[in-house]
Amino acid sequence: MNCGEFLRHLGPYLDSECDPETTLALAGHLETCEVCAQRIAREKALEERLARQLASSAPGDDALWRRVERRFERRTLFRPASIAAAAVAACLALAAAVAVWPSRGPSDLVRVASADHVKTLHEPLPTGDGETGWAGVEDALRGRLPFSLSWKGPAPDGVVLAQARPCAFGKERVALLRCRYRDTDLSVAVLPVAALESFPGAAREFARRGDEFCCGDRGFRIGLVRSGGNLVCATGMLSGEELCRMAQTVAEGIDLRP
Amino acid sequence: MVRTHTFLDHVRPLQGPLVAYARRMLAVPSDVEDVLQETLRTAYTKFSLYVEGTNFRAWVFKILTYQILNANRRHGRSERADVPLTERAEDLAETLDREMEYDRLLADPGSILERLEPALARALGALPAPERSALLLRSIAGLSYREAAEALDIPVGSVIGYLSRARSRLRRDLAAYAVERGLLPRAAAGEEEAP
């Protein structure tokens, strides 16, 4: 190899990118040519110095990098995909909250009772006094509910029991006693007090207001009473006081057993 | 967050070279921060594709190069010069033979280059983008010819050509600047190289 050939390979040689055969040939030339050996040493020094100079940092580079990292971390944590996921999660949470809301508020049992009463008003109520009769409640509901129910007390004053049938309040099964009081249709739901677990709003209201309270919903009044192991919810277009009194009588007259 | 920190653990050692490369490549200095930010974001989103143990440096510089080309293109600075490969080796050799100033630069590069930073920036800026990119990927990023070729999406032979041309022009320009500034004596006709 002569000096001209050596110079043609100068760049790749400086970059250690020559193939092994060429590298050997170049090294052989450098051993015998002092001029090229001196040149390659100086070229290498210049190349290293130039590389250091090119890679040198400028004032403010560190601060710039810190800003870049901060922006990166902010946008990575809150990147569009995350925002979309967060939005979906928020919507789901809102939907869940809306779905759960009625059962969390004080009106959960009240709303279920009034809604059921609206439905029953569209069903023809059997006429006649005591088609089943208060004493016939046990027979009418036998085997149709997860609890047994019998009437042990005096009939509520002036209240005619027209029908007794099972019904569902949410996931709870209740005995629905359809009654008539004067000219008003009433729905009296009877269920175990333990069912309050499914109605935390009503449970909270009982805890706050005692064993009896009334409220309104959908234009009806609803009287709620818990007595012994019984929970009674009377719904109709009567005063709260009347409904609570009626519910109290039913709660005391009903013998409910798991 | 764990993944974010893992990614940053990989990229932080490259902070200096990444910033220097972006600063010297971008046509508009104010683009540096945005381009680096976009590079990190892109690299992070593709981080799952990165294979541990492979050359993370080359991978990130490829992304940065792409971002820089895009940014420069937005400013109408997407020059792309094709270099005749047959000239690649001869250019450097001829320059070495012809330029006595350059030879003096070789003799004491440190003290001269330190005082030539503005000239270096100008000379670098005067290089066509592919040549500048090839030179900086080699000098700053430390990429091999093959890695630089992948980063620039060109054949290895083109990288060799760009590098040779870039070095040749850069050294010649720097020597000329040094002479203009009186840092190097002007070469007289027929002057022999100092021993």
Side-chain angles (χ1 to χ4, degrees):
Chain A
M1 177 175 285
N2 59 35
C3 295
E5 288 171 322
F6 175 82
L7 288 177
R8 274 207 303 277
H9 294 289
L10 185 59
Y13 184 75
L14 281 171
D15 292 326
S16 306
E17 291 271 0
C18 288
D19 59 67
E21 191 181 339
T22 308
T23 303
L24 275 177
L26 291 167
H29 176 73
L30 287 175
E31 282 179 8
T32 59
C33 178
E34 195 179 334
V35 173
C36 285
Q38 193 179 26
R39 165 139 294 166
I40 197 72
R42 293 162 80 179
E43 286 284 353
K44 197 175 255 179
L46 173 62
E47 189 60 31
E48 287 170 359
R49 189 65 188 79
L50 197 57
R52 277 206 302 279
Q53 186 86 8
L54 289 171
S56 63
S57 61
D61 277 2
D62 284 342
L64 181 144
W65 182 261
R66 282 196 297 275
R67 285 198 302 277
V68 168
E69 269 200 21
R70 273 202 302 273
R71 283 174 62 193
F72 163 74
E73 286 179 317
R74 269 205 307 272
R75 293 188 183 184
T76 301
L77 291 177
F78 299 103
R79 63 187 188 280
S82 298
I83 292 169
V88 169
C91 288
L92 289 174
L94 183 62
V98 168
V100 167
W101 178 255
S103 66
R104 294 189 66 190
S107 60
D108 46 9
L109 179 55
V110 169
R111 287 187 66 79
V112 173
S114 68
D116 186 75
H117 186 59
V118 170
K119 278 194 296 184
T120 61
L121 289 179
H122 295 289
E123 298 170 10
L125 188 64
T127 56
D129 186 2
E131 184 177 305
T132 57
W134 288 97
V137 164
E138 186 174 6
D139 289 336
L141 295 172
R142 181 175 287 117
R144 301 172 71 187
L145 287 168
F147 49 83
S148 68
L149 194 147
S150 60
W151 186 257
K152 61 178 183 178
D157 190 23
V159 180
V160 176
L161 176 61
Q163 184 186 46
R165 62 172 171 81
C167 184
F169 275 14
K171 65 179 184 179
E172 297 294 335
R173 299 280 288 168
V174 307
L176 184 67
L177 309 178
R178 299 185 65 195
C179 308
R180 184 170 290 121
Y181 178 70
R182 301 181 208 142
D183 295 320
T184 304
D185 288 346
L186 306 174
S187 291
V188 179
V190 180
L191 58 165
V193 159
L196 276 177
E197 285 183 9
S198 300
F199 305 103
R204 202 162 41 242
E205 205 67 5
F206 273 119
R208 192 168 70 86
R209 299 167 68 172
D211 291 329
E212 175 184 317
F213 69 93
C214 70
C215 50
D217 189 53
R218 300 174 202 263
F220 304 115
R221 300 295 291 171
I222 299 102
L224 295 101
V225 170
R226 65 178 178 184
S227 178
N230 302 339
L231 173 63
V232 177
C233 181
T235 308
M237 296 190 75
L238 295 173
S239 70
E241 189 182 347
E242 284 178 303
L243 286 165
C244 281
R245 193 171 59 243
M246 204 174 295
Q248 184 69 41
T249 305
V250 172
E252 288 171 358
I254 287 284
D255 182 21
L256 190 151
R257 291 182 187 147
Chain B
M1 274 303 280
V2 172
R3 190 168 168 266
T4 307
H5 286 149
T6 306
F7 172 75
L8 286 176
D9 287 344
H10 277 76
V11 87
R12 275 186 184 127
L14 304 178
Q15 169 194 337
L18 286 172
V19 176
Y21 179 70
R23 189 159 36 76
R24 294 200 181 273
M25 279 299 295
L26 282 162
V28 177
S30 59
D31 280 347
V32 172
E33 194 170 321
D34 287 343
V35 163
L36 286 171
Q37 155 68 26
E38 191 56 25
T39 299
L40 290 199
R41 196 196 62 75
T42 305
Y44 178 74
T45 57
K46 296 181 177 179
F47 191 47
S48 58
L49 303 176
Y50 165 70
V51 181
E52 192 74 36
T54 59
N55 196 337
F56 182 77
R57 172 185 286 259
W59 185 68
V60 170
F61 270 95
K62 179 173 184 171
I63 295 171
L64 176 56
T65 300
Y66 179 77
Q67 297 295 337
I68 287 169
L69 290 176
N70 275 345
N72 285 348
R73 192 174 292 128
R74 282 197 295 273
H75 296 294
R77 300 285 290 272
S78 58
E79 54 185 320
R80 189 179 181 90
D82 291 323
V83 179
L85 299 185
T86 51
E87 295 180 15
R88 65 181 192 264
E90 287 77 6
D91 274 352
L92 182 54
E94 287 165 15
T95 300
L96 293 176
D97 286 341
R98 285 201 312 266
E99 302 285 345
M100 293 305 292
E101 292 92 348
Y102 169 70
D103 196 55
R104 294 185 191 283
L105 178 66
L106 274 183
D108 186 17
S111 64
I112 294 172
L113 284 175
E114 271 178 10
R115 287 175 282 177
L116 279 183
E117 173 55 36
L120 178 63
R122 274 202 300 277
L124 205 58
L127 293 177
E131 291 182 12
R132 188 163 71 249
S133 198
L135 179 74
L136 296 179
L137 284 174
R138 176 70 207 159
S139 299
I140 295 179
L143 301 194
S144 67
Y145 287 179
R146 184 180 55 77
E147 290 165 343
E150 284 177 9
L152 295 171
D153 200 19
I154 57 175
V156 171
S158 298
V159 170
I160 297 172
Y162 288 145
L163 255 181
S164 176
R165 174 69 66 99
R167 280 173 169 155
S168 177
R169 290 188 189 198
L170 194 66
R171 293 172 187 200
R172 194 165 50 206
D173 286 351
L174 285 177
Y177 282 126
V179 170
E180 280 175 22
R181 296 281 183 99
L183 301 172
L184 286 176
R186 194 173 297 277
E191 183 180 351
E192 293 298 323
E193 185 183 347

